[in-house]
């Protein structure tokens, strides 16, 4: 089972981007929490937002009011709508999910990152 993120790119300050992350695999699996993290150059990876299977949401203070996380359980996907982007939002964005398959729980599974660059 793997997570595939997409939607990053170059955008001007004040612009918007929408990130998507889909979970896929050749075995039957289920997903609990899903979320997004980011890592700016020279900095540690940090939490951005997450959403439970039931729809409870949490955001980092730095993105509240600008970013919106959502998920489509049928499509096994999580999205991040990013508005009013700032240069300090520049980072590689990673999706993260708590997966269950093969009789085992795999919390905090990472997808590959997608680069978001916000120019001033």
């Amino acid at each position: 089972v793997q997570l595939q993120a997409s939607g990053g790119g170059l955008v001007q300050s004040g612009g918007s981007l929408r990130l998507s992350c889909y979970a896929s695999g050749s075995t039957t699996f289920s997903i609990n929490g899903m979320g997004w993290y980011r890592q700016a150059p020279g900095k540690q990876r940090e939490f951005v937002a997450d959403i439970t299977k039931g729809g409870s949401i949490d955001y980092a203070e730095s993105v509240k009011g600008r970013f919106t996380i959502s998920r489509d359980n049928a499509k096994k996907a999580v999205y991040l709508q990013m508005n009013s982007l700032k240069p300090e939002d520049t980072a590689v964005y990673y999706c993260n999910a708590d997966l269950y398959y093969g009789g085992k729980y795999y919390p905090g599974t990472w997808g590959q990152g997608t680069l978001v660059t916000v120019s001033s």
Side-chain angles (χ1 to χ4, degrees), residues 87-102:
E88 52 263 44
D89 294 317
T90 295
V92 177
Y93 284 71
Y94 297 88
C95 62
N96 182 280
D98 299 327
L99 305 175
Y100 185 86
Y101 59 94

Side-chain angles (χ1 to χ4, degrees), residues 32-95:
N32 290 334
M34 302 185 82
W36 292 94
Y37 288 71
R38 66 187 181 186
Q39 187 166 17
K43 295 188 177 181
Q44 290 190 333
R45 192 172 298 187
E46 64 176 8
F47 169 77
V48 175
D50 64 13
I51 181 169
T52 68
K53 193 172 185 177
S56 295
I57 291 172
D58 192 20
Y59 293 103
E61 286 295 326
S62 59
V63 307
K64 279 184 179 178
R66 300 187 298 122
F67 290 10
T68 302
I69 189 171
S70 60
R71 65 186 284 172
D72 185 328
N73 291 329
K75 294 182 178 179
K76 300 187 187 305
V78 63
Y79 309 99
L80 187 68
Q81 177 66 43
M82 305 185 294
N83 298 329
S84 302
L85 282 161
K86 305 175 182 179
E88 52 263 44
D89 294 317
T90 295
V92 177
Y93 284 71
Y94 297 88
C95 62

